[in-house]
Amino acid sequence: MGPEEDPISIFLVISGSRGQRMLFRYPFQETSVSYGKSINSPQRIKSISEDIFQNPYRLNTQSSSNQESTKNQSVLNGGSIYGFSDSELASLMAPKSILCDQKFELKIGHVKLIGYPVQVRTDGTCSGFQDLLELESLDNDVMINMVNVVMAIHANVDATVASHYQNICMMLGKALRHEEKRVRYLSNQHEIMVMEIDRIEDLPESEQNVHERTLAKSQLAKDIVSAFQSMCDYGIVNINVNGWLGLNYCFPHKIHKAEIRNTMIDTSKFNTYIRRIKPYHTLLLTDDDDNEHEENEIANLIKILPPDASPVLHRLITLSRPVKNFQTLCQDADISLPQIFQIVAHLIYWGKCIVIYPLAESNIYVLAESVPTEIDSKCSEEFTKKFPEQSLHNVFQKFSFPLTLGDYRNPLCNDKHVEHAQIVTWLLKKRLIKQLHTFVYMVPMAAIDLERDSEIDPVEQRNTFFQRFQLKGTGDKTIFDAFPVAMQLSIISVSYLVERDDMLFFLRMTKYFDGEHHLENIMYFENVSRSKLIICIDKFRSILITVQHQDAATVQLA
C-alpha cells in the first residue's frame, strides 16, 4: 500500500442545538488557514477564482501536468486539506438528520470525504443515563444531535479500500453514540474541546493551534490520533473508546501488502485462498520477528489478544508448531477441524499467521523471485541479529537451486539441526523462500512409439491386458475404459513391465494425475506413503510427467 491509499486527514464534526462545529482534525493545519481566512476574504476569493473556477476559454499557458498540480494544490497542501476553514468544512460534513446513519461521501477536486454520520438523539429523545440529566443538559450544555467522523482520502483510491475507511468511521461514530448515551462521554469531551477553542483568543498568534492544544487535553482526540496513525503505519486499529468500549479493525490491503514486491494485494481473493486450506497444512505464526524462541512468539501473540478472546483460540495458538498439521492439532487441542479452519482464517486475515506445509525432511525449498540481495538490506540485518553465527547470503546461495530440508540439514552436524530448522522457519515467515511441490501429469505416448509397439491387433491387446491383470467386471476396468484410445494404448504398451498390484495401484491413482494434485495431497487423501508413490511414478515414467511449483494454498493471497 503506497501513500495514495493512506488517508489524508481525519475530522470530528458534531451538530446540535448550537449548529455544527468541527471539534478536532488531524493532522493539524496552520491557524492562518483554519481561522485567518474566511470564505469571503479577498485572498480566498482570488485563490478560488484562479485555481478552481478557471475560464475554460482562456489561453492555456501551462502544460497539462502543471494544470493538474495546480488543481491539487487548491485542495491539498503539505498532505492536508487546504483552502477551507474549519467552519466551512463543518458545514460540508454535517448533513441533515434524514441523511444520518448511512454512508457519507463528498468529492472536492482530487479529495474525497467519506464518513458515516450517526444520529445521537432521535426526535429529541434520549435513553440511559441521560434521562436523569436531560433538564440540566438542556440548560447548561449543547444538545448533540449528530456526530460524524470523516476521513479525507485521495479520490482515486480503490473503492474496496475506501469502504474500509468508511467502516472505521461508522464504528467510531457508533461507539461515541453508545458512550454518550451511557455516561455522556461525547458531551464531556465536547466541553473540553470547546474550552480550548475559547482560550485561543487570549493566546499569542504563534500559539494559536487549537487542535494541537486540544490533543493535549482531550482523551477522545488522543484516541482519534492513535487510530489514524495506526491505520497508516500498521493497518490495525486497536483502541478503547472512553477506556471502556473496545474498537478493533484490520485493513487487509495494508496487512497483506507483499513485503518484498511492495504491491497492494487484492483482498477479494481472500475467501478463495481460505477454501484451499487442507487438513494436512499447518499455521506458522508471523507476529514475531525478533524473538529468539518460539515460546516467546506464542506468548507475545496471546498477550495482544482481546480480553474476551475465545479459550479455543488460546489453546490452538499455544499448541501450534511448524511440524504439526491441522489434523494433529485437531486431536491435541480437542478442536474440530471446521473450527480450526475458522480460527486460522481469522488469524490470516489479521496478518498473524500464514499457511505452510509442515516442516519435513522431504520438503523442497527454493529462493523466492524477489529476495533482497543487497549486502546491507534490512532482511540481512534482521537475520544477523537473530542468527549471529550465520550469513543470510550463504543461505541464499544454498537455496538458489531447489534443496530439500534434509539436504540443508547436514547429517554430520547434528548440533546444527535445530538452528537450521529455525532458519528455514524464519525464511518462510519473511517469504524469502518458497516450497515446491511435485505435480504429476499423465500424457499418452507419441504416435510413432505406439505404432512401433502395436504390431498386435488393438482389440486383442485389450483382451490380453484385461486377462493378465484380471480387470473384467471390476471398477478398475471402468477407470481404464474412460481413457481415450491413445491413453489406453499407451498404458498397454508399458503394462508388460509391471506387476498386477502395480497396475491396479496406478489405475486408482490416475484421478490425481491431472496436474492439480501434488504428492502430499495424494498421500493424505489416499493414505499412501511417499515412497510408494515415487515407485509408481518411476515405473510408469514413460507416460507420466512431473513438474514442481508452489501449492496454491501456500501462495499468500497473491
Side-chain angles (χ1 to χ4, degrees):
M1 174 175 154
E4 287 290 317
E5 281 76 34
D6 285 337
I8 302 168
S9 303
I10 188 169
F11 308 88
L12 176 63
V13 177
I14 66 164
S15 178
S17 58
R18 299 182 185 176
Q20 61 273 357
R21 191 166 199 171
M22 179 178 294
L23 295 182
F24 185 72
R25 68 185 294 171
Y26 184 83
F28 310 125
Q29 190 175 27
E30 293 181 4
T31 308
S32 59
V33 176
S34 297
Y35 298 96
K37 291 184 181 179
S38 70
I39 193 167
N40 297 320
S41 66
Q43 297 89 345
R44 175 68 190 281
I45 293 175
K46 181 180 178 181
S47 174
I48 293 177
S49 63
E50 289 182 354
D51 296 337
I52 299 179
F53 303 110
Q54 294 181 359
N55 186 345
Y57 302 105
R58 73 173 187 176
L59 180 64
N60 291 326
T61 57
Q62 294 177 310
S63 64
S64 59
S65 61
N66 289 337
Q67 293 176 7
E68 190 76 11
S69 175
T70 302
K71 276 188 175 182
N72 281 328
Q73 288 299 322
S74 66
V75 181
L76 292 175
N77 184 33
S80 62
I81 302 295
Y82 171 78
F84 294 89
S85 69
D86 285 357
S87 60
E88 294 163 8
L89 288 175
S91 300
L92 295 173
M93 299 176 186
K96 300 297 183 181
S97 59
I98 194 174
L99 298 176
C100 289
D101 297 307
Q102 57 184 296
K103 293 181 178 180
F104 168 87
E105 186 173 310
L106 176 65
K107 184 177 179 182
I108 305 175
H110 290 262
V111 175
K112 185 184 293 184
L113 302 176
I114 58 174
Y116 194 94
V118 174
Q119 195 166 6
V120 179
R121 290 179 177 82
T122 305
D123 297 330
T125 62
C126 54
S127 60
F129 181 74
Q130 283 189 341
D131 287 330
L132 302 176
L133 301 174
E134 184 66 18
L135 294 177
E136 180 183 353
S137 177
L138 288 172
D139 293 337
N140 302 324
D141 298 336
V142 175
M143 180 71 73
I144 301 176
N145 296 326
M146 185 278 302
V147 60
N148 192 12
V149 179
V150 180
M151 285 191 191
I153 62 174
H154 294 274
N156 60 351
V157 168
D158 185 82
T160 305
V161 177
S163 68
H164 285 291
Y165 291 129
Q166 209 147 31
N167 289 341
I168 195 67
C169 292
M170 177 185 66
M171 294 174 68
L172 281 168
K174 291 186 175 181
L176 291 175
R177 177 173 62 184
H178 177 276
E179 289 303 290
E180 173 67 11
K181 291 185 175 183
R182 189 176 72 90
V183 291
R184 299 185 68 248
Y185 174 67
L186 183 57
S187 295
N188 295 333
Q189 294 298 308
H190 169 263
E191 293 176 5
I192 295 173
M193 294 178 176
V194 170
M195 191 179 300
E196 292 303 318
I197 294 175
D198 294 340
R199 286 178 180 175
I200 196 173
E201 299 177 357
D202 302 328
L203 296 175
E205 185 176 353
S206 60
E207 300 179 16
Q208 290 185 359
N209 194 322
V210 61
H211 298 302
E212 187 173 2
R213 293 179 58 83
T214 301
L215 180 59
K217 299 289 185 179
S218 170
Q219 182 58 45
L220 176 56
K222 293 177 182 177
D223 289 340
I224 292 175
V225 171
S226 175
F228 182 85
Q229 291 179 338
S230 296
M231 70 179 75
C232 291
D233 295 339
Y234 310 110
I236 290 180
V237 175
N238 184 10
I239 61 175
N240 289 319
V241 179
N242 193 25
W244 176 264
L245 191 61
L247 195 155
N248 302 285
Y249 197 83
C250 168
F251 295 86
H253 60 278
K254 185 83 170 180
I255 292 293
H256 299 291
K257 180 182 68 175
E259 296 181 359
I260 295 175
R261 292 170 292 177
N262 197 30
T263 56
M264 191 178 71
I265 300 299
D266 182 5
T267 54
S268 63
K269 298 180 181 179
F270 182 80
N271 290 333
T272 302
Y273 167 74
I274 293 299
R275 286 194 291 269
R276 293 171 177 166
I277 300 176
K278 299 295 187 293
Y280 53 77
H281 288 125
T282 190
L283 61 92
L284 179 62
L285 301 177
T286 59
D287 195 53
D288 161 71
D289 291 328
D290 300 322
N291 290 328
E292 297 180 0
H293 303 288
E294 190 175 12
E295 292 75 12
N296 295 339
E297 174 183 354
I298 294 173
N300 286 344
L301 180 55
I302 291 178
K303 189 185 303 182
I304 64 175
L305 293 177
D308 58 346
S310 169
V312 176
L313 178 58
H314 284 261
R315 195 158 65 247
L316 179 64
I317 293 175
T318 303
L319 296 175
S320 65
R321 296 292 184 276
V323 294
K324 288 184 181 180
N325 61 25
F326 292 139
Q327 188 73 50
T328 304
L329 283 174
C330 174
Q331 301 169 357
D332 293 350
D334 193 21
I335 308 173
S336 65
L337 266 177
Q339 193 171 12
I340 286 181
F341 288 154
Q342 290 177 354
I343 295 174
V344 171
H346 183 77
L347 291 173
I348 293 173
Y349 187 84
W350 281 78
K352 301 302 180 184
C353 79
I354 59 174
V355 169
I356 62 169
Y357 187 81
L359 297 183
E361 296 288 322
S362 57
N363 288 4
I364 302 174
Y365 299 103
V366 70
L367 283 183
E369 291 82 357
S370 304
V371 295
T373 56
E374 299 85 357
I375 297 178
D376 56 349
S377 66
K378 181 180 177 181
C379 286
S380 180
E381 294 176 0
E382 293 178 359
F383 183 85
T384 303
K385 182 179 179 180
K386 194 171 183 68
F387 306 101
E389 298 181 359
Q390 298 288 339
S391 169
L392 180 61
H393 292 84
N394 287 341
V395 176
F396 283 171
Q397 184 269 329
K398 293 181 180 179
F399 286 105
S400 57
F401 291 95
L403 183 69
T404 65
L405 180 59
D407 292 336
Y408 175 63
R409 297 170 64 178
N410 190 338
L412 302 179
C413 303
N414 293 330
D415 56 330
K416 295 290 185 179
H417 281 189
V418 174
E419 185 181 37
H420 289 166
Q422 292 175 347
I423 290 175
V424 171
T425 302
W426 187 88
L427 294 173
L428 288 170
K429 288 181 186 180
K430 294 292 185 180
R431 284 82 160 179
L432 298 177
I433 60 173
K434 59 183 181 180
Q435 182 177 357
L436 300 181
H437 295 266
T438 301
F439 296 79
V440 185
Y441 290 86
M442 188 165 60
V443 180
M445 299 174 64
I448 187 171
D449 295 331
L450 292 177
E451 292 176 1
R452 184 182 58 201
D453 296 338
S454 59
E455 299 177 355
I456 308 176
D457 182 66
V459 176
E460 184 178 350
Q461 283 185 320
R462 284 171 52 88
N463 293 333
T464 303
F465 176 79
F466 291 150
Q467 291 176 1
R468 181 186 176 194
F469 295 105
Q470 303 175 12
L471 297 183
K472 291 186 177 182
T474 65
D476 297 319
K477 181 179 182 297
T478 304
I479 296 174
F480 181 83
D481 290 339
F483 292 130
V485 175
M487 194 72 248
Q488 291 181 4
L489 295 177
S490 298
I491 295 174
I492 292 173
S493 66
V494 299
S495 63
Y496 303 103
L497 305 175
V498 298
E499 301 295 331
R500 180 176 184 273
D501 291 341
D502 297 329
M503 179 58 68
L504 296 181
F505 179 76
F506 168 78
L507 291 176
R508 286 195 294 270
M509 294 298 106
T510 52
K511 61 183 179 182
Y512 297 107
F513 297 158
D514 56 357
E516 299 293 332
H517 305 271
H518 52 74
L519 297 188
E520 290 78 13
N521 183 285
I522 302 172
M523 290 162 53
Y524 176 81
F525 286 107
E526 293 297 329
N527 194 24
V528 298
S529 64
R530 179 183 296 271
S531 59
K532 189 172 183 179
L533 271 178
I534 296 297
I535 291 173
C536 175
I537 293 172
D538 182 65
K539 289 184 176 181
F540 291 88
R541 61 183 177 274
S542 58
I543 57 174
L544 295 179
I545 296 176
T546 60
V547 296
Q548 290 182 337
H549 58 80
Q550 281 183 280
D551 181 6
T554 59
V555 179
Q556 301 307 308
L557 301 177

